Structures are given as C-alpha cells and as structure tokens.
Amino acid sequence: MLDKTVSEEFIGKKILVTGGTGLIGRQVVGILCDAGARVKIVSLDKVIVHDHAEHILGDITDYNFCKEITNGVDFVFHLAGIKGSIEVSRTQLASHFVPTLMMNTNMLEASRINNVSKLVYTSSIGAYSNAEVFRESDYRLDSEPMDFAGWAKRVAELQVYAYKVQYDMENFAIVRPCNVYGPGDNFDPENAMVIPSIMCRIHNGENPVKIWGDGTAIRDFAYSRDVAEGVILALYHGTKGGFVNLGSGKGYSVKELVEALRSFINFNYEFDITKPSGAPVRVMDISLAKLSIGYAPKTSLVDGLKETWEWFLSNQNEYQKKKNYFRS
Ligand SMILES: C[C@H]1O[C@H](OP(=O)(O)OP(=O)(O)OC[C@H]2O[C@@H](n3cnc4c(=O)[nH]c(N)nc43)[C@H](O)[C@@H]2O)[C@@H](O)[C@@H](O)C1=O
C-alpha cells in the first residue's frame, strides 16, 4: 500500500507502462489506476489487467513507434523485458540480447527526446557481476555463467547514466529486481523461471516433479506486488543516476522453496542434476532501497506462493496465449 502523498502524485497523470500486462507491470497498472492515473499499457497483445487502463498495441523495438507513444506523456514505467529460465538464458543468447537492447535503447531515447518528466527502467539482478579483480580468463566470451540477458539489461543502465552525465538528467530512475514471481508470470516449463515452472509441472501431474540441480542454489524470491510498489517509489523519489535493488532481502535454497510449496500442495519430487543450477547464491541487499525510496516488501514466501498458485489455477488460458519479445 503506497502512502497518501506518493499516491496523490499520480492523480490525473498521463502514464505509459511498457510490459503492463506482465508480472510486475500488471501490479503497477493496478496501483496507478486505483490512484487515479490515466494509464496506457503498451503491449504486443491485449490482456485486460485493469478496467480503467487503455491499451496501445505495438512493438517497442521500433523507434518511430516509441516516439509516437511517448509524445505528451508525463511518466513512463519501462517494464517490458524478456524473462527466461537459467536454461534458455544460457542457450538462446541472441533471442534475449538483441530485442532487449533494441527496446531499451528506443524507449529511453524516445522518452528523452519527448521530455518525459519521470521514467523508471527495470534492469535485473542479472546485471551484477561478482568479480573484483579482473582476469581475461574470467571474462571469456564463452565463459559460464553466460549472462547475456543481464548484460543487455546493463547496457540500458549505462544509457541512463550517459544522460545524467551529458544532459544533467536525474529524472530517469533504475531498479534491479531479483527473481520476481506472482500472478501473470510465464508458466511454460520450457522457458519459465523456477516457481512458475514447478507449479505448472505439478499441475500437469508430473510425478515425481523433477527439480533442476541439487537443491542447494540460493535465490532471493520477491513477490510481484511488493516489487511493483518499489518500482513506483523509485519513479517518485528517483535513484539519482544510480540504481536500487528490489528483492525480498532473504535467500532461500531451491530445496527450501520446494518444501514451502509442499506446505500447501501435495506432490513428490526428486532432484535432476543433469539440469543447470546457475549461480550458487543470488541474494539482494535491500538496505539502500529501504532508506532512499522507502521500499518495504511485506509478503512472506508462503503467502506469495499461495496467491500465485491460486491465480495459476484460475487463469489457465491466459498464460498460454501471451506474446513476448523473445525471438527464436
Ligand atoms: C533473474 C535471473 O534469472 C535466471 O537465473 P536463475 O536465478 O538461475 O533463475 P531460474 O528461475 O531459472 O532458476 C533458479 C534456480 O532454480 C533451479 N530450478 C529447479 N527446478 C527448476 C525448474 O523447473 N525451472 C527453472 N527455471 N529452474 C529450476 C535452477 O536450477 C536454479 O538453480 C536467468 O535468466 C538469469 O539470466 C537472471 O538474470
């Protein structure tokens, strides 16, 4: 729940949300519409997420389209992106990399040219690099993890920073969300992230459910509604040419995640160590976001999982038909 002062900032504002039918976007749209904003969702196909939101159908990898849709807009929430499991993001590199660069470069530049007064760009936990001492051998172009998706996200952060240096712009904010989950996610086990993928395979009757890796990988799972509030707060307060982390601040192993699901869904599982498990630990420190923008995630893992499972069970048609920017 946003506080009244923040909410009032959005009354009557013309707001464009790219990715507004996605996982974080649909929550942002709901909060903004409820606050009295005039929200337009830009997406590849029409999925109703709120009765008061308008839809613009089109492709933001096209620069002219981006210029058209950002004209006369007060605020832009640039949330569109490509999300893929650890498996697809290490094999189908160009499918993530190219459209991510195109849509980000175009949306940011069009928003700058059209003098959008505030924008927030959602980067990713994937934009982090762990190394402190640089050796060529650690940065081979074919080295693991090949986080092309993360690098593509990072390039747009540099674009925002370039605007700050060259044009003195601090009105474009950046957030780095972690492993976000919730209603409206992609549940296709072929390419979905761990939570929606496991849910779908349980629902399909897989027995035992094959859990990738050995269960020790640790991730920071944040509920989409909490992250959406963080995104709105980041636009409101700004991130001053830098970025803030939006996670839960807690790490859970994949085994703990599976046990949390088993606390309310009955299923058997076994680990499949032939599947990739990715980075051993990815957890966010959220102290800066708490301090600088008042970010306060409150959904427990089990509560968030229950809400996601309920949504999945009652929205079986939606996730199967949605288009995305992934290019095969
Ligand atoms: C945000 C971030 O997201 C991705 O990286 P990831 O955090 O590894 O995300 P993930 O959800 O695919 O896996 C999390 C953990 O869960 C394990 N796991 C078990 N069973 C399944 C399973 O059935 N499906 C999936 N996908 N994972 C499974 C899996 O082995 C891994 O240990 C990248 O796109 C990366 O580019 C990126 O930036």
Side-chain angles (χ1 to χ4, degrees):
M1 188 72 157
L2 295 175
D3 80 33
K4 203 162 162 271
T5 332
V6 176
S7 245
E8 279 172 3
E9 164 86 353
F10 297 101
I11 298 172
K13 291 284 184 338
K14 290 187 197 154
I15 300 181
L16 192 69
V17 185
T18 71
T21 61
L23 177 62
I24 303 175
R26 66 180 52 217
Q27 302 282 355
V28 167
V29 166
I31 297 169
L32 294 174
C33 286
D34 293 347
R38 295 159 64 189
V39 178
K40 287 190 178 166
I41 295 174
V42 194
S43 57
L44 290 170
D45 55 8
K46 190 169 172 176
V47 176
I48 304 292
V49 297
H50 196 288
D51 290 343
H52 295 153
E54 277 181 50
H55 285 258
I56 306 174
L57 296 184
D59 182 344
I60 59 168
T61 62
D62 172 350
Y63 180 57
N64 288 328
F65 176 66
C66 292
K67 276 203 298 192
E68 221 175 274
I69 59 176
T70 50
N71 191 17
V73 164
D74 295 311
F75 302 154
V76 170
F77 286 81
H78 176 37
L79 311 178
I82 299 172
K83 234 169 68 127
S85 70
I86 180 71
E87 173 88 340
V88 288
S89 61
R90 70 201 266 278
T91 51
Q92 304 191 38
L93 307 182
S95 299
H96 284 83
F97 197 68
V98 177
T100 303
L101 291 176
M102 289 171 80
M103 68 177 117
N104 288 345
T105 310
N106 291 337
M107 272 306 297
L108 293 173
E109 182 67 354
S111 301
R112 182 186 73 80
I113 300 270
N114 278 327
N115 297 314
V116 165
S117 69
K118 285 184 178 185
L119 173 146
V120 62
Y121 159 60
T122 46
S123 182
S124 165
I125 192 170
Y128 274 109
S129 138
N130 296 325
E132 282 165 12
V133 177
F134 302 108
R135 287 174 215 91
E136 293 88 336
S137 55
D138 296 337
Y139 281 84
R140 286 165 48 105
L141 295 179
D142 61 353
S143 63
E144 294 279 351
M146 292 186 295
D147 208 341
F148 276 59
W151 273 93
K153 287 286 199 176
R154 197 169 184 188
V155 170
E157 296 183 355
L158 296 180
Q159 189 177 345
V160 172
Y161 184 70
Y163 290 164
K164 172 183 154 70
V165 172
Q166 186 169 345
Y167 306 120
D168 207 17
M169 284 171 56
E170 284 201 353
N171 52 334
F172 284 16
I174 305 168
V175 294
R176 285 189 178 183
C178 63
N179 291 55
V180 184
Y181 70 98
D185 208 344
N186 165 28
F187 286 81
D188 179 352
E190 287 292 310
N191 46 40
M193 311 285 285
V194 57
I195 292 174
S197 168
I198 292 178
M199 286 185 175
C200 189
R201 289 190 286 112
I202 296 170
H203 188 254
N204 291 348
E206 189 176 306
N207 187 13
V209 176
K210 294 264 169 49
I211 307 295
W212 300 2
D214 64 3
T216 58
I218 293 176
R219 293 292 181 274
D220 182 335
F221 300 108
Y223 190 56
S224 54
R225 170 94 192 184
D226 289 338
V227 174
E229 287 186 6
V231 168
I232 293 171
L233 289 166
L235 180 128
Y236 178 80
H237 293 284
T239 57
K240 304 185 175 45
F243 57 85
V244 296
N245 289 342
L246 297 179
S248 72
K250 299 187 186 99
Y252 289 93
S253 69
V254 169
K255 186 170 186 344
E256 286 171 326
L257 167 69
V258 172
E259 291 301 335
L261 286 166
R262 272 160 51 92
S263 70
F264 64 97
I265 315 170
N266 186 18
F267 69 97
N268 301 314
Y269 69 98
E270 66 184 24
F271 292 111
D272 178 356
I273 54 164
T274 65
K275 286 289 192 182
S277 53
V281 183
R282 270 184 151 175
V283 180
M284 287 187 141
D285 179 334
I286 55 170
S287 10
L288 178 64
K290 284 181 173 169
L291 199 69
S292 60
I293 63 170
Y295 174 58
K298 40 199 161 305
T299 313
S300 71
L301 181 62
V302 171
D303 285 350
L305 291 175
K306 282 183 181 164
E307 285 182 39
T308 307
W309 177 244
E310 289 306 319
W311 185 91
F312 173 63
L313 294 181
S314 41
N315 291 272
Q316 285 293 302
N317 292 328
E318 188 196 316
Y319 79 91
Q320 284 162 354
K321 64 170 200 247
K322 260 175 81 180
K323 292 183 193 151
N324 61 49
Y325 282 95
F326 189 84
R327 295 177 179 200
S328 47

